[in-house]
């Protein structure tokens, strides 16, 4: 489904990273209960909600969180992604910088994880411990 898309709108979280890996330009929208938001603001000390934005310390994936989670703002941002290939390409290029800091996707993260597990098993077997 990601490969067939032109742009996506998603909640922040794991899906935003999956969309980034799929090179699908995205807009993030998220709203929680005001009391939960007040608690979160006291506990969470990051400027952004999307991993790519956190890594780059700037907003490359538009975020519409809490009071900014409004249909008019979201529609404008999604509309720009849908209407302008240059806007989409710019976001993909910028998000790629964040992915590179995470180790890129060559090989795929799942393959890197499998290699790390196999390497650890190899060290354990060679060391004679269980």
């Amino acid at each position: 489904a990601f490969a067939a898309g032109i742009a996506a709108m998603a909640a922040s979280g794991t899906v935003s990273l999956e969309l980034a890996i799929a090179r699908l330009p995205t807009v993030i929208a998220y709203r929680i209960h005001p009391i939960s938001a007040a608690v979160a603001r006291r506990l969470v000390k990051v400027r952004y909600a999307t991993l790519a934005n956190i890594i780059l310390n700037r907003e490359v994936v538009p975020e519409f969180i809490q009071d900014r989670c409004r249909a008019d703002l979201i529609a404008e941002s999604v509309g720009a992604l849908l209407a302008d290939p240059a806007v989409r390409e710019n976001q993909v290029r910028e998000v790629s910088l964040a992915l590179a800091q995470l180790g890129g996707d060559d090989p795929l993260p799942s393959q890197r994880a499998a290699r790390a597990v196999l390497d650890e098993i190899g060290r354990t077997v060679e060391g004679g411990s269980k």
Side-chain angles (χ1 to χ4, degrees):
F2 290 174
I6 296 172
M9 185 174 88
S12 61
T14 305
V15 72
S16 68
L17 182 58
E18 292 169 345
L19 290 162
I21 291 168
R23 307 297 196 265
L24 185 58
T26 304
V27 170
I28 299 299
Y30 201 80
R31 187 176 184 114
I32 60 176
H33 190 279
I35 293 174
S36 298
V39 171
R41 276 196 281 301
R42 290 183 181 270
L43 298 174
V44 178
K45 300 297 180 193
V46 292
R47 188 173 175 188
Y48 302 104
T50 306
L51 188 57
N53 293 346
I54 293 168
I55 291 169
L56 297 172
N57 196 31
R58 58 192 165 93
E59 189 175 274
V60 297
V61 176
E63 295 182 357
F64 299 94
I65 310 296
Q66 288 308 104
D67 294 341
R68 291 192 68 233
C69 190
R70 296 187 354 229
D72 60 324
L73 298 175
I74 295 166
E76 182 179 334
S77 189
V78 171
L81 287 176
L82 292 173
D84 191 344
V87 172
R88 292 192 304 270
E89 291 166 12
N90 184 60
Q91 188 183 118
V92 168
R93 184 175 47 257
E94 293 292 317
V95 168
S96 293
L97 299 173
L99 293 174
Q101 290 186 42
L102 290 173
D105 59 357
D106 186 30
L108 293 171
S110 57
Q111 292 171 333
R112 287 197 314 270
R115 174 57 42 210
V117 169
L118 291 172
D119 289 348
E120 185 61 31
I121 290 169
R123 280 193 292 277
T124 301
V125 170
E126 290 171 5
S129 58
K130 293 183 180 182

